[in-house]
Amino acid sequence: MTILKNAKSFHGGVHPPEHKELTENLAFEIMPNPKEIVFPFTQHIGKPAKAVVEKGAEVKAGTLVADQDGFVSSPIHSSVSGKVKKIVNGATMNGFPKDGILIEAAEENENEFMVELNPDAVSPEEIRERVRAAGIVGQGGAAFPTYVKLTPPPEKKIDYVILNGCECEPYLTRDYRFMLERPESVVSGLRLIMKSLGVEIGGIGIEDNKSEAIKVMQDAVKNYPGIEVVVAKTKYPQGAEKMLIKAAIDREVPPGRLPLDVGVVVQNIGTAVAIHDAIAKGEPQITAAITVSGRGINTPKNLIVRVGTPLADVLEYCGGLNDNAKKVIAGGPMMGFAMHDFSAPIMKATSGILVLTEEEINDHEETPCLKCGKCIDVCPLNLVPTRLARLAQLERNEEAEELGITVCMECGTCTYTCPANIPLVQWLRLGKQKVLQIQRERKTA
């Protein structure tokens, strides 16, 4: 097949202020170990992992502490050397308290990694097994167990792999820094993904506002004729799987379907780096690359942080909050979660921590819907957000299901553009959760 030279965009979307200048020129720093680490058993979509260590156990960085429980699940490894103190129930980055393992960290780390493999000689089966054993989950936000994506059903023929380097959320720059600082690892990870799927053609999607990353990655792939950098229009949510597929190869994923239904697998830049490290270094997914930004934090940074590090420690390492700080968000400002408990730990798929001032957030008073239709115009999935939000408020779940609430990817474009300041995406998120629960109950009835 031919890779399109003139990448298209998609219907809808918005272009919020980018605010990437705060951190885009800051290289990654490695944050020191905290005193304590917490590993929630739920750091991925699917069943929570099951503890395999007991209180008092001595662990090293890389020791398996919780194993996957089912196909759609993922193992968890200690990110530090130390001693298991207890099983705890505490705050998480998504706002829901979850059980996890509390470890008292030692001052120095001793690694317990897997055997290194040769990226050029490893087999597809070895790649998939290593990705599973390393506990790698998607870094694009959903935290889907990566080895599941690399194991599509036999009837789903995959012929194209896309690495998502768009990073369309404002403020976040960790993927951008990976492309500048570790381009060879990015390309190695992409080639390993392609090999595991038996795919010969791949692309790296990058928005056209990241000219330096485009140049660096074009140079990194010049010796690999099956791989091309696909330059996409800068627009949110260009980095969403369905939108990126449309922009890169002009395929449309039908509502309720997945990328593999149109022969595509999409992975994040950070996921590709994690896959390279798992193969070439034997390193499980025990660190998270995050951007700490916003005008409410004293010293914005791009950090490599040990998974399980408390949010409070990260904020302190970045100089703490200044007097103008009003809101702390885990993730980006469009799809992230406002944090109220700073004991919540950094998780595998945490992409950023934002500390925003009143000038950076929209906290204007909500007014009645104006029936203007702007939320419909910008919805990249052609939904009717205002109607779905109202149905969610009224708990008319069957009607919301019929109108496609489960298709919503919670991108927040509707809320961003609403002149009445209605928190549409919050209502859609709640309504979607209720409908999905109803659907699960139907299956088990």
Side-chain angles (χ1 to χ4, degrees), residues 103-386:
I103 292 178
E104 185 177 35
E107 291 186 6
E108 300 291 334
N109 285 329
E110 184 178 350
N111 294 332
E112 187 179 312
F113 290 175
M114 297 169 285
V115 176
E116 297 175 3
L117 301 174
N118 182 348
D120 294 323
V122 68
S123 70
E125 294 76 16
E126 288 174 319
I127 296 170
R128 289 191 291 270
E129 173 54 26
R130 175 55 58 89
V131 169
R132 183 206 65 77
I136 297 174
V137 303
Q139 298 295 288
F144 199 82
T146 300
Y147 86 99
V148 178
K149 273 193 174 184
L150 302 186
T151 316
E155 68 273 14
K156 304 294 184 181
K157 176 59 179 175
I158 307 301
D159 62 10
Y160 197 92
V161 172
I162 303 176
L163 277 195
N164 176 12
C166 290
E167 200 162 45
C168 56
E169 278 262 19
Y171 294 93
L172 303 184
T173 57
R174 61 138 196 199
D175 291 345
Y176 178 72
R177 293 309 310 179
F178 267 141
M179 290 186 283
L180 295 189
E181 297 181 40
R182 299 190 62 186
E184 294 82 8
S185 298
V186 171
V187 175
S188 173
L190 172 56
R191 294 180 66 222
L192 288 163
I193 294 166
M194 292 168 62
K195 187 173 185 179
S196 74
L197 293 164
V199 172
E200 296 182 356
I201 301 178
I204 303 174
I206 308 175
E207 287 188 324
D208 57 12
N209 64 343
K210 302 175 179 65
S211 57
E212 188 174 352
I214 291 170
K215 292 176 183 177
V216 170
M217 294 313 303
Q218 284 176 335
D219 186 61
V221 303
K222 65 183 180 183
N223 294 323
Y224 303 102
I227 301 175
E228 182 171 348
V229 173
V230 180
V231 181
K233 182 179 179 180
T234 299
K235 184 168 65 167
Y236 179 86
Q238 184 64 78
E241 285 187 332
K242 294 182 179 181
M243 280 64 257
L244 184 53
I245 291 170
K246 174 65 176 174
I249 56 174
D250 201 25
R251 296 184 193 175
E252 295 199 21
V253 182
R257 310 293 286 183
L258 298 171
L260 58 85
D261 293 311
V262 296
V264 182
V265 164
V266 180
Q267 296 284 8
N268 183 264
I269 290 289
T271 310
V273 172
I275 290 173
H276 167 81
D277 288 347
I279 298 293
K281 301 179 182 179
E283 182 177 341
Q285 191 169 3
I286 59 175
T287 61
I290 65 172
T291 296
V292 184
S293 190
R295 303 193 184 280
I297 191 76
N298 283 314
T299 311
K301 294 178 183 287
N302 289 304
L303 294 176
I304 302 297
V305 180
R306 298 276 168 172
V307 171
T309 299
L311 170 58
D313 289 39
V314 176
L315 296 175
E316 182 181 356
Y317 184 73
C318 293
L321 313 187
N322 60 43
D323 293 339
N324 296 321
K326 186 169 184 181
K327 182 181 287 187
V328 176
I329 296 174
M334 301 295 286
M335 295 186 70
F337 294 86
M339 301 302 298
H340 68 278
D341 189 337
F342 292 177
S343 69
I346 300 297
M347 292 165 59
K348 290 182 183 181
T350 302
S351 58
I353 301 296
L354 306 183
V355 184
L356 306 183
T357 63
E358 187 168 2
E359 291 74 23
E360 294 173 283
I361 60 179
N362 178 14
D363 261 355
H364 300 302
E365 184 177 351
E366 179 181 343
T367 61
C369 176
L370 303 175
K371 306 292 193 295
C372 66
K374 288 185 177 181
C375 62
I376 301 172
D377 291 339
V378 301
C379 177
L381 296 176
N382 299 300
L383 300 175
V384 187
T386 181

